[in-house]
Amino acid sequence: MNLYEEYLKAVTRRHFFCQSGVGLGAVALAAMLQRDGIAAPQSPRAANPMAPKQPPLPAKAKHVIYLHMAGSPTQLDLFDYKPTLQKYNGKPCPKEYLEGKRFAFIQGVPNMLGTPFTFAKHGKSGAELSEVWKFLPEVIDDIAIVKSMQTEQFNHAPAQLFLHTGTNLFGGASLGSWTTYGLGSQNEDLPGFVVLTSGGKTPDAGKSVWGSGFLPSIYQGVQCRSPGDPVLFLSNPNGLDRAGRRETLDALKTLNEFQAEKLGDPETITRIAQYELAYRMQMAVPEVMDISKEPRHILDLYGAKPGFVPESDAASDPRVVYKGTDASLANNCLLARRLVEAGVRFVQLYDWGWDHHGVSPGEHIPTILPIKVQQIDRALTALIKDLKQRGLFEETLIIWGGEFGRTPMQQNNAPNQPYIGRDHHPYAFTMMLAGGGIKGGQTYGQTDDIGYYITENPMDVRDLQATILHLLGFDPFKLTYGFQGLDQRLIGAEGKAKLHPALLA
């Protein structure tokens, strides 16, 4: 005898109407609690992996905007002025800085290289900045300049992977993926993790730097474009209207739900969520990506140009150097503010073109570095000002930097070239942090007289990752995901990381 069927037969019409009001109310309440991240779904049919979740610890930041300058800016020409290095400019590098060291391109004994730019102190904090920064001094007291960053990697792709995924190998989960895994998304119509690129190409490590790795694929970054369709393949194919797409998705959802209930595969639940998100994104993404809706004074503040399409880039034609009038990065900074304002958790901006080796016209520090800084200077300054005036600065963590630093020596593997550049340097580099629980108006850490080694408050990549997670409300040692028999962490399975309280507000 089927007891459930017997129970249904015993329920009268009067019983049904008496109880249905309470039942429907409970269903509605459960849905609202799940949407707000307070209650967990009861079955795979109701599961939403991107539902907002409460962090286990008090959070200072609700959103992250990470501006990664792919190729690595030269800290010695932007932030870390060294009078001693100027004194030894053009002289052979001492042996102690070469013996037992590995370089990407330096050969033999290179010459020391002082900066061609002048420096000055700015703000109440007295932070030293290169003359190439024209706008950043206006907000320097909102920023923590960390001069004591260091990494384990000295080539681009492994260093980018290590910085963003916690491993120098492919297959790790990115910062943005860990964030949405732990917090979900605040806007069900938009991805929780959005990626914007500029500079003509993606980072050396490719799209793995915003991949979900071993986490369910719903948490990977969604790359959006400012010109053209914001998301590739989001539009309906020819011959299929929105109503037809809805019918197709409903049928797929039913089949996937049956499979999820039978097998419990998280990727099946991910597939359901991704199909539904893509459908909602058809309406929401074009709206939030349209910066032409911004008033003129905001566009001018960022230096943004709606609809801007770069003429060409150095990746496709090495004879073409970068143009200061390229508005791609400025547009992306404005888009980052719009996305955060709309509830996106993690916005990652990748800008290519900061790899200044000095072996070609596009890598000549005296001429190309000021152009690249011009593309970010006004926009980054505007982003901080704009977030502050909208009340979003205190809850948005801003990160700026590259994957490693540049050497105090001139790269010398192309001796007949008239261009000046620096090789990769993992032992010391500079990053900027602001907003979202960061104590601004300070310079943290120091390097030696020539900027080769760190002498005060060393902060490695693991420490930076732990700091980001801490500000988002996580214990970086306890945010884990089981994979291949290990409790995987962003900071590595070994859990070697430390927080730097002096950086925190």
Side-chain angles (χ1 to χ4, degrees):
M1 181 174 65
N2 188 319
L3 294 178
Y4 182 64
E5 289 182 357
E6 294 300 316
Y7 167 76
L8 291 178
K9 292 177 183 177
V11 175
T12 66
R13 182 172 177 270
R14 185 168 295 174
H15 279 112
F16 172 77
F17 283 114
C18 178
Q19 297 176 4
S20 63
V22 177
L24 291 174
V27 170
L29 176 61
M32 289 188 289
L33 292 176
Q34 291 164 21
R35 180 196 64 196
D36 295 334
I38 299 171
Q42 300 301 311
S43 72
R45 286 181 180 270
N48 177 11
M50 291 300 291
K53 309 175 185 71
Q54 295 296 319
L57 301 174
K60 295 291 184 68
K62 296 180 181 178
H63 315 274
V64 177
I65 298 176
Y66 194 134
L67 301 99
H68 181 80
M69 308 294 104
S72 297
T74 160
Q75 76 282 5
L76 294 166
D77 299 293
L78 295 177
F79 303 103
D80 204 4
Y81 180 64
K82 298 297 177 184
T84 301
L85 186 58
Q86 298 299 105
K87 179 180 176 181
Y88 290 103
N89 181 50
K91 297 181 179 180
C93 177
K95 291 183 180 180
E96 61 263 31
Y97 297 112
L98 302 174
E99 293 177 346
K101 300 295 189 298
R102 297 177 65 192
F103 298 96
F105 297 101
I106 283 178
Q107 301 172 357
V109 179
N111 290 331
M112 305 303 288
L113 178 61
T115 180
F117 307 111
T118 60
F119 278 65
K121 293 184 178 181
H122 299 277
K124 296 179 181 179
S125 61
E128 276 192 313
L129 293 176
S130 168
E131 62 180 315
V132 298
W133 295 105
K134 307 298 183 184
F135 295 91
L136 195 66
E138 299 173 13
V139 294
I140 198 62
D141 287 332
D142 295 309
I143 296 172
I145 301 176
V146 181
K147 292 185 176 180
S148 53
M149 287 297 305
Q150 56 187 1
T151 181
E152 301 173 5
Q153 305 298 321
F154 71 97
N155 278 326
H156 293 294
Q160 290 166 359
L161 287 169
F162 184 56
L163 178 66
H164 293 288
T165 72
T167 173
N168 62 319
L169 304 175
F170 291 107
S174 62
L175 272 164
S177 297
W178 277 108
T179 301
T180 50
Y181 165 67
L183 293 178
S185 178
Q186 290 184 310
N187 188 328
E188 63 180 10
D189 297 333
L190 293 171
F193 177 18
V194 172
V195 177
L196 303 169
T197 63
S198 57
K201 60 180 288 188
T202 55
D204 296 79
K207 298 184 179 182
S208 293
V209 289
W210 62 80
S212 57
F214 43 75
L215 294 176
S217 56
I218 186 67
Y219 302 116
Q220 70 183 3
V222 174
Q223 185 178 358
C224 293
R225 306 182 306 162
S226 42
D229 288 340
V231 180
L232 293 175
F233 312 116
L234 187 64
S235 302
N236 292 324
N238 293 334
L240 182 68
D241 59 14
R242 189 163 174 80
R245 184 167 183 143
R246 180 68 267 170
E247 291 179 8
T248 303
L249 292 178
D250 288 341
L252 288 171
K253 182 180 180 182
T254 300
L255 293 173
N256 284 323
E257 284 177 341
F258 281 132
Q259 185 178 26
E261 289 180 347
K262 178 175 289 188
L263 302 178
D265 184 355
E267 279 302 306
T268 306
I269 299 171
T270 287
R271 192 179 306 122
I272 297 171
Q274 286 176 325
Y275 284 156
E276 293 301 318
L277 175 61
Y279 182 76
R280 296 191 300 271
M281 283 169 58
Q282 284 186 321
M283 304 299 290
V285 168
E287 173 70 20
V288 76
M289 295 289 290
D290 186 2
I291 63 172
S292 67
K293 297 181 181 296
E294 293 289 331
R296 172 49 55 185
H297 73 277
I298 293 295
L299 295 173
D300 292 342
L301 182 68
Y302 284 84
K305 300 177 183 178
F308 176 83
V309 179
E311 297 176 11
S312 59
D313 58 78
S316 60
D317 185 353
R319 296 169 300 176
V320 178
V321 297
Y322 306 97
K323 297 181 181 296
T325 54
D326 189 324
S328 303
L329 186 50
N331 286 358
N332 286 349
C333 286
L334 179 51
L335 281 171
R337 190 272 291 165
R338 288 176 63 86
L339 289 164
V340 162
E341 195 172 31
V344 173
R345 287 284 189 195
F346 202 104
V347 184
Q348 181 79 63
L349 278 67
Y350 288 101
D351 184 59
W352 187 84
W354 296 83
D355 193 18
H356 299 136
H357 286 280
V359 297
S360 71
E363 299 177 358
H364 186 45
I365 286 176
T367 57
I368 301 303
L369 182 63
I371 293 174
K372 289 304 296 180
V373 172
Q374 183 181 344
Q375 293 172 3
I376 183 60
D377 185 18
R378 172 184 285 185
L380 176 59
T381 304
L383 178 62
I384 292 174
K385 289 181 177 180
D386 203 7
L387 290 172
K388 289 181 72 173
Q389 71 183 7
R390 294 169 189 273
L392 294 169
F393 181 70
E394 296 299 328
E395 63 183 45
T396 304
L397 174 62
I398 302 171
I399 308 160
W400 183 97
E403 58 265 29
F404 43 60
R406 314 301 297 201
T407 58
M409 304 86 77
Q410 181 174 349
Q411 187 168 315
N412 64 346
N413 64 319
N416 296 323
Q417 294 286 357
Y419 312 113
I420 295 174
R422 304 180 188 272
D423 203 354
H424 307 167
H425 190 69
Y427 305 113
F429 64 105
T430 298
M431 296 189 75
M432 292 189 288
L433 306 174
I438 292 295
K439 182 180 179 181
Q442 64 169 319
T443 296
Y444 185 76
Q446 293 294 336
T447 56
D448 60 24
D449 287 345
I450 63 169
Y452 199 99
Y453 291 120
I454 294 167
T455 59
E456 180 184 310
N457 297 323
M459 184 172 179
D460 64 23
V461 166
R462 299 291 192 203
D463 298 347
L464 175 66
Q465 293 163 345
T467 299
I468 294 170
L469 294 180
H470 172 77
L471 292 172
L472 289 167
F474 296 107
D475 182 334
F477 302 94
K478 294 181 179 179
L479 182 62
T480 62
Y481 188 86
F483 180 68
Q484 293 185 339
L486 291 174
D487 286 333
Q488 303 287 351
R489 300 182 181 93
L490 173 62
I491 60 173
E494 308 88 349
K496 294 181 180 179
K498 65 178 181 179
L499 296 175
H500 293 250
L503 281 173
L504 308 180

